Amino acid sequence: MEIAEKSIPVFAFPKNTDNKISPEPDVPDDMSALTTPSMMPPTTNYYVSASSNMMQQQQQQQTMNPKIYAFEAAEDVAGVVSLTQPPGKKVDHLGIKIQFIGRVEMDQSVHEGRPHYDFISLSKELSLPGSIVSPKTDIPFHFRHIEKEHETYRGRNVAVRYFVRVVLERKFLPPIQKEQDVIVQIVQQEPQKNEAIKMEVGIEDCLHIEFEYQKRCYHLRDTIVGKVNFLLVRIKIKHMELAVLRRETSGEGVASMALGDAINSNKAIATDTATNTMTETQTLIKYEIMDGAPVKGEVIPVRLCLKGIPADLTPTYTAINNRFSVRYFLNLVLVDQEDRRYFKQQEILLWRKDLGY
């Protein structure tokens, strides 16, 4: 029984320089022998150990220099499961299996019901019941033609996860298992219709402005270019701001909701008890683009680089698994001398042009 407790499940994923989205960590030399050239190109691999001492050591390495792999929707997921144990020991097991799971996780403190929903659940038998006598045992795995329809996402109240889990079943003892997350990103084509945004708004006999943006759809490294034209100004404006907002709506029946309501800037979280949904608004970045009172006919240029936003931008998501949606808005705010705020929001659509961005 004590021997089985010391068995260590380990993951090794092949390196892909095109898909790597974070720096490589240093891998201990004593683990380099676990590479399987027949399954992957000869390269350094990433290992995650479940042993107590080694786990603490590797958690420190991962914190300092973490590494995770990104896959496109059509790519296969392959690697090696490595089992290690002290020399001269023997471990009896009831079978070893590996699972590939795609999951939507909901915050239980916000949403009632099941905490997660699996939209992908694949399992393969790696080994029949038997014994492990070798100090190191490598078992390759390969999940082919997986339909990964959603991107990896981690929000305030909801997350989309893809992970590989290996399970070693034991008699009369809990199974030994280990999970390794992977990132799935979907490279998209630019929308065929990408018209300019042009709108006139204002307050009757007090303020009349016209704002214009060159297009509605932007990739995640794009630059928003536009202008604001003051057609009528009869109030004392102090300054003007432009912000990028992200609205995350989660809960049951998101697809049937009317998502065109204006966002209350003073209330970042809203709950619809009738449909059991929650909407949370986050200001990703805010710039002051004008200081002082404008005059009639003045034009204020707008230029905002999306790649400069420190938050993790994602494409626009619409009713993912009918559980959540993520939308982005440009919020134009005018503040007068009495600190009254006049704002207008315009939705923009974001899409992914390249893997890793």
Side-chain angles (χ1 to χ4, degrees):
M1 305 291 243
E2 182 181 354
I3 298 174
E5 289 286 351
K6 294 182 180 178
S7 60
I8 307 169
V10 179
F11 283 110
F13 284 92
K15 175 182 175 183
N16 186 332
T17 55
D18 294 332
N19 292 358
K20 187 178 69 175
I21 63 171
S22 54
E24 284 187 54
D26 295 327
V27 180
D29 294 335
D30 58 346
M31 306 192 81
S32 59
L34 297 183
T35 306
T36 308
S38 59
M39 280 294 295
M40 62 192 73
T43 180
T44 305
N45 293 276
Y46 176 55
Y47 298 90
V48 181
S49 172
S51 63
S52 57
N53 295 334
M54 294 180 66
M55 179 62 107
Q56 295 177 0
Q57 198 173 35
Q58 292 192 358
Q59 280 179 346
Q60 294 175 357
Q61 288 183 352
Q62 293 169 23
T63 302
M64 294 173 59
N65 202 1
K67 181 179 183 181
I68 194 166
Y69 290 95
F71 295 85
E72 286 191 81
E75 284 187 292
D76 295 346
V77 177
V80 174
V81 174
S82 298
L83 306 175
T84 66
Q85 61 177 338
K89 300 295 184 178
K90 175 184 175 182
V91 176
D92 296 324
H93 63 87
L94 300 180
I96 304 171
K97 66 180 180 181
I98 191 165
Q99 300 170 322
F100 182 81
I101 296 175
R103 174 175 293 176
V104 177
E105 295 182 342
M106 313 288 284
D107 190 343
Q108 278 188 295
S109 63
V110 177
H111 303 286
E112 299 179 356
R114 290 191 299 167
H116 59 78
Y117 304 84
D118 293 344
F119 56 90
I120 294 178
S121 183
L122 303 175
S123 180
K124 289 187 176 183
E125 198 76 28
L126 294 180
S127 177
L128 296 175
S131 300
I132 300 176
V133 295
S134 175
K136 296 179 181 180
T137 303
D138 296 342
I139 308 175
F141 67 89
H142 196 152
F143 289 97
R144 294 180 172 86
H145 310 302
I146 307 173
E147 187 178 352
K148 300 181 284 293
E149 56 182 333
H150 308 311
E151 280 208 352
T152 300
Y153 173 76
R154 185 166 296 277
R156 295 291 183 90
N157 301 312
V158 66
V160 176
R161 285 183 64 206
Y162 289 90
F163 59 94
V164 179
R165 175 196 291 153
V166 63
V167 181
L168 186 146
E169 300 285 352
R170 300 180 294 172
K171 189 175 183 180
F172 305 127
L173 288 173
I176 299 176
Q177 61 181 24
K178 185 64 183 178
E179 295 179 359
Q180 173 66 56
D181 281 83
V182 298
I183 288 179
V184 171
Q185 295 181 343
I186 301 175
V187 177
Q188 301 165 305
Q189 297 294 325
E190 182 176 1
Q192 295 181 354
K193 293 184 179 180
N194 196 0
E195 68 280 2
I197 301 173
K198 188 173 182 180
M199 186 175 296
E200 295 184 10
V201 294
I203 304 171
E204 187 176 0
D205 297 330
C206 293
L207 178 67
H208 190 190
I209 65 174
E210 177 186 72
F211 65 85
E212 181 178 352
Y213 303 109
Q214 287 185 352
K215 54 186 179 179
R216 184 183 300 273
C217 305
Y218 301 88
H219 62 77
L220 301 183
R221 308 283 287 182
D222 213 339
T223 300
I224 298 173
V225 178
K227 61 182 180 180
V228 179
N229 185 12
F230 288 86
L231 305 177
L232 176 65
V233 183
R234 291 181 179 174
I235 58 176
K236 295 180 179 180
I237 296 176
K238 185 165 60 175
H239 64 265
M240 180 166 59
E241 301 171 349
L242 181 66
V244 178
L245 308 180
R246 173 161 57 200
R247 172 193 271 186
E248 176 187 286
T249 303
S250 56
E252 300 285 347
V254 170
S256 60
M257 290 185 59
L259 297 176
D261 299 337
I263 305 172
N264 187 341
S265 59
N266 297 321
K267 186 177 181 182
I269 301 177
T271 304
D272 188 340
T273 55
T275 58
N276 192 26
T277 60
M278 167 166 282
T279 299
E280 183 159 346
T281 302
Q282 178 185 4
T283 301
L284 303 182
I285 201 164
K286 180 171 64 175
Y287 291 109
E288 184 177 300
I289 61 174
M290 185 193 72
D291 185 20
V295 296
K296 180 179 178 180
E298 189 164 1
V299 178
I300 306 299
V302 173
R303 187 175 182 86
L304 191 153
C305 297
L306 293 177
K307 66 179 179 181
I309 297 179
D312 183 21
L313 280 182
T314 68
T316 297
Y317 301 142
T318 304
I320 298 299
N321 208 42
N322 201 21
R323 302 295 175 188
F324 76 97
S325 65
V326 178
R327 305 167 72 203
Y328 292 88
F329 295 83
L330 294 177
N331 190 35
L332 186 67
V333 181
L334 294 172
V335 183
D336 66 13
Q337 295 290 345
E338 298 178 2
D339 288 331
R340 290 177 297 196
R341 301 171 68 87
Y342 309 89
F343 66 93
K344 179 63 179 178
Q345 294 168 5
Q346 178 62 52
E347 183 177 7
I348 58 174
L349 302 179
L350 300 185
W351 57 281
R352 187 179 300 282
K353 184 179 180 180
D354 298 303
L355 188 65
Y357 296 104

